[in-house]
Amino acid sequence: MHIRQVENAIYLLQYFAETGRASTLTEIAKNFSWPISSTFKLINTLAHHGYLYEPLQRGIFYPTPKLFELAKTINAKAPLPPLFDELLNELNVETNETVWIAGRSGLNAIFLKVIQSKQLIRYTAEVGWQVPLFATATGQAILSKLSKHQIDSILDKSDYTKYSSTTPSTKEEVLKRIDHSINRGWFSSSSSFTPDLGGVSIPIEIDNKIYAVTTAVPCFRLDSQEEHIAEIMTRIINKWMT
């Protein structure tokens, strides 16, 4: 059993993907042999919810970027590989710090799974939180696995908000940090986005999807434990990824 109105909405979106051009109500109705009244209701509904707009002139419709952003968010929040549960649990126990898995969402990294530290003073985070790619260890780890074109596109669009004195302020500075981190095998940041909090991050790839595994630590503990935490993370990630 199928719902005709839902099918028609799918057909319409596929039509725009195939033609790659804005179209009038009449053109759409003729293409599908739909009644003008039904076509108008469908287009009006999608436009009301922000999925269609009139980019050239009144009466000529095309999908908005909202659909693309929705698809990216759904993809970023897709169910995680089962091994991530064990990996994060082990990392949380060994470091006694807050740990997470993050994926890319536009210009940000979005937290997909988080396990909190049980320490009184800790980095508190939640699934769904987002941090800028350019400013954080998590974000730079994800960037390191993208193509040069993708990195350039993201960094050219970044606003370089100065969250603290340690926040990178230019594209060149971010690229320099990425190169340095690739050479040593792990990424780190300290108060670059959140004051007095930092982290160590390592990128991983599974099923052609890029993630960052991060251990988040208050700066007063990170300063003396950064390399040790990186060693623990490398060992555990290698164990679960081989």
Side-chain angles (χ1 to χ4, degrees):
M1 182 176 180
H2 301 276
I3 301 175
R4 178 58 61 84
Q5 293 92 330
V6 175
E7 283 189 328
N8 287 349
I10 294 172
Y11 294 150
L12 180 57
L13 295 175
Q14 291 174 336
Y15 164 84
F16 283 118
E18 292 167 2
T19 64
R21 62 179 177 82
S23 299
T24 65
L25 184 154
T26 302
E27 289 174 327
I28 294 169
K30 183 178 179 180
N31 180 79
F32 292 106
S33 299
W34 290 341
I36 290 291
S37 60
S38 299
T39 307
F40 173 78
K41 290 178 182 177
L42 176 58
I43 289 175
N44 189 57
T45 299
L46 290 171
H48 174 73
H49 289 281
Y51 291 101
L52 291 180
Y53 75 127
E54 298 163 279
L56 303 175
Q57 63 187 61
R58 186 169 178 79
I60 301 179
F61 300 90
Y62 196 76
T64 71
K66 182 177 180 179
L67 185 64
F68 178 61
E69 294 300 327
L70 183 66
K72 286 197 300 181
T73 300
I74 292 172
N75 185 59
K77 295 180 179 179
L80 298 174
L83 69 87
F84 282 175
D85 289 331
E86 297 297 331
L87 190 159
L88 280 190
N89 281 329
E90 187 172 342
L91 186 57
N92 172 254
V93 169
E94 286 216 29
T95 63
N96 199 25
E97 300 289 356
T98 297
V99 296
W100 64 67
I101 296 278
R104 180 191 165 197
S105 178
L107 300 180
N108 296 325
I110 184 168
F111 298 177
L112 304 175
K113 182 175 179 59
V114 178
I115 301 179
Q116 305 281 2
S117 169
K118 293 182 174 60
Q119 299 194 68
L120 183 62
I121 301 177
R122 63 184 183 274
Y123 193 126
T124 301
E126 296 180 5
V127 170
W129 281 16
Q130 298 190 39
V131 296
L133 292 172
F134 84 91
T136 59
T138 297
Q140 291 166 16
I142 291 173
L143 285 172
S144 73
K145 290 297 185 178
L146 300 178
S147 68
K148 182 180 184 303
H149 174 74
Q150 289 174 306
I151 295 173
D152 286 340
S153 177
I154 290 168
L155 295 184
D156 287 342
K157 294 174 184 175
S158 298
D159 59 12
Y160 299 100
T161 298
K162 200 68 174 174
Y163 299 103
S164 76
S165 61
T166 61
T167 306
S169 56
T170 65
K171 175 182 177 179
E172 291 70 28
E173 188 175 353
V174 176
L175 292 174
K176 185 176 180 180
R177 292 191 186 188
I178 291 174
D179 287 341
H180 173 71
S181 298
I182 289 175
N183 288 334
R184 71 180 176 183
W186 47 276
F187 294 73
S188 68
S189 59
S190 180
S191 296
S192 294
F193 178 64
T194 306
D196 301 319
L197 294 169
V200 177
S201 188
I202 295 177
I204 58 176
E205 292 184 72
I206 296 181
D207 297 330
N208 297 315
K209 298 188 72 172
I210 299 169
Y211 304 94
V213 180
T214 301
T215 301
V217 190
C219 288
F220 75 88
R221 286 201 298 268
L222 181 65
D223 292 341
S224 61
Q225 298 182 31
E226 186 176 69
E227 291 190 8
H228 178 59
I229 289 172
E231 291 173 358
I232 293 174
M233 292 180 67
T234 299
R235 171 171 49 81
I236 292 175
I237 288 172
N238 288 341
K239 168 187 172 182
W240 287 101
M241 295 298 292
T242 56

